[in-house]
Amino acid sequence: MGSLRAVSDDVRVGCAVDPASLRTDTDYRRTVASEFDAITAENAMKWGRLAADEGAYDFADADDVARFAERHDMYVRGHTLVWHRMYPEWLRPWTRSEAETERLLRDHVQTVAGRYRGCVDAWDVVNEAVADDGGLRETQWLNALGPEYIDRAFEYAAGVSDADLFYNDYGADGLSEKSDEVYDLVADLVAREVPIDGVGLQLHVFEETVPPADVAANVERLTELGLDVHITELDVGIGAAVPDEEAQADYYREVVGAATDAGVDTVVTWGVDDGQSWLPERGFGEAPLLFDESFERKPAYRAVREALGE
Ligand code: XIL
């Protein structure tokens, strides 16, 4: 059996990676390089990781991911420029003036999106701006700058980057009140000609599965706005959502098949192997990825190949 990245000419399959594991773990590195043709830094391009100290960026880890991607001819999803989590501690307390907060946001977006111009193919410009109970999430950015912070982030990114610019969120994968909110948000951005190119559906699955037909319907309505849709953080925890490896494989097959049939051309799993996944340590289900902790291909891996037409 060849590699996953060779299965489809139309759909890229990616994984989120940790630069330390890429450097030190031979099996991890070999799996990422041979199986995937898209990549996301799981944490290394987040603001708090890039700029732990005020006024000084450290791009070493993020650059490692970028170089790895280039060497292996991978599509790069940059994640993420503006989020309400994993920002530097020195941004606290949030008592700066509006003008100063906006300057910080602008400088950050321009610095990072500008540095990876020509390398990052798609940026998650704004992450998780919609609240679970409707409306925009009450974040530092919303409080300081109002809803326009979203426009500004996209505009600053567009000024320095040639990447496709995405809005990314969770719990908005299928058809739900939250996905309606996300739809309304991005439809409004499109209508006002804010430079947005796409929507990322995270698709973390642990409490319950999202009906694949609903994912397809959501992809279709977003596509009708003229936006690209990527599946950006796919993982399927064994537990409440799916009882075992076989059910997990079935769900991967159905949801990847439905999404790609509806026009999704990029599917990224949130990690590589079950030994290094964020879900179990949070109690969100077990063994959610395509490779087990020994980097053996799981039933879910074969199911994704089938979904891609093999
Ligand atoms: C997670 C990482 O996987 C963890 O390692 C980190 O501790 C917290 O962030 N939505 C996102 C991702 O957009 O950035 C999050 O990643 C998972 C949820």
Side-chain angles (χ1 to χ4, degrees), residues 41-232:
E42 182 171 356
N43 293 304
M45 289 190 186
K46 291 172 181 171
W47 195 335
R49 294 295 174 90
L50 292 175
D53 300 321
E54 185 164 6
Y57 278 89
D58 178 354
F59 288 108
D61 276 350
D63 284 357
D64 271 4
V65 176
R67 264 192 300 270
F68 185 90
E70 191 172 27
R71 206 176 315 132
H72 298 286
D73 195 21
M74 302 170 96
Y75 180 92
V76 180
R77 296 201 83 269
H79 177 82
T80 175
L81 296 171
V82 181
W83 193 22
H84 63 286
R85 296 182 53 212
M86 295 183 80
Y87 55 79
E89 281 303 310
W90 55 261
L91 278 172
R92 290 182 214 260
W94 293 82
T95 50
R96 293 177 180 82
S97 69
E98 185 175 337
E100 178 66 1
T101 307
E102 170 140 1
R103 188 188 64 74
L104 284 166
L105 181 91
R106 185 196 64 211
D107 286 355
H108 176 68
V109 170
Q110 292 179 342
T111 300
V112 178
R115 181 181 185 88
Y116 295 108
R117 184 189 177 93
C119 161
V120 166
D121 298 287
W123 266 112
D124 291 334
V125 177
V126 176
N127 197 32
E128 304 180 350
V130 171
D132 292 336
D133 54 1
L136 287 182
R137 185 187 295 276
E138 280 246 7
T139 69
Q140 320 81 330
W141 304 115
L142 184 73
N143 290 338
L145 304 176
E148 290 76 29
Y149 86 88
I150 297 175
D151 302 15
R152 295 292 99 76
F154 279 96
E155 287 160 6
Y156 295 141
V160 297
S161 175
D162 48 13
D164 284 333
L165 305 180
F166 277 66
Y167 174 77
N168 190 55
D169 215 330
Y170 69 85
D173 315 298
L175 298 174
S176 63
E177 278 176 35
K178 183 162 175 182
S179 72
D180 290 348
E181 295 269 348
V182 168
Y183 178 86
D184 290 345
L185 170 71
V186 299
D188 179 58
L189 296 176
V190 170
R192 292 188 295 104
E193 299 185 7
V194 174
I196 180 174
D197 301 296
V199 177
L201 308 179
Q202 294 185 7
L203 206 54
H204 294 292
V205 178
F206 45 90
E207 266 157 15
E208 51 188 23
T209 55
V210 187
D214 288 4
V215 175
N218 196 29
V219 170
E220 277 159 16
R221 68 175 174 168
L222 291 165
T223 306
E224 279 164 19
L225 295 172
L227 297 170
D228 293 336
V229 185
H230 291 173
I231 303 297
T232 54

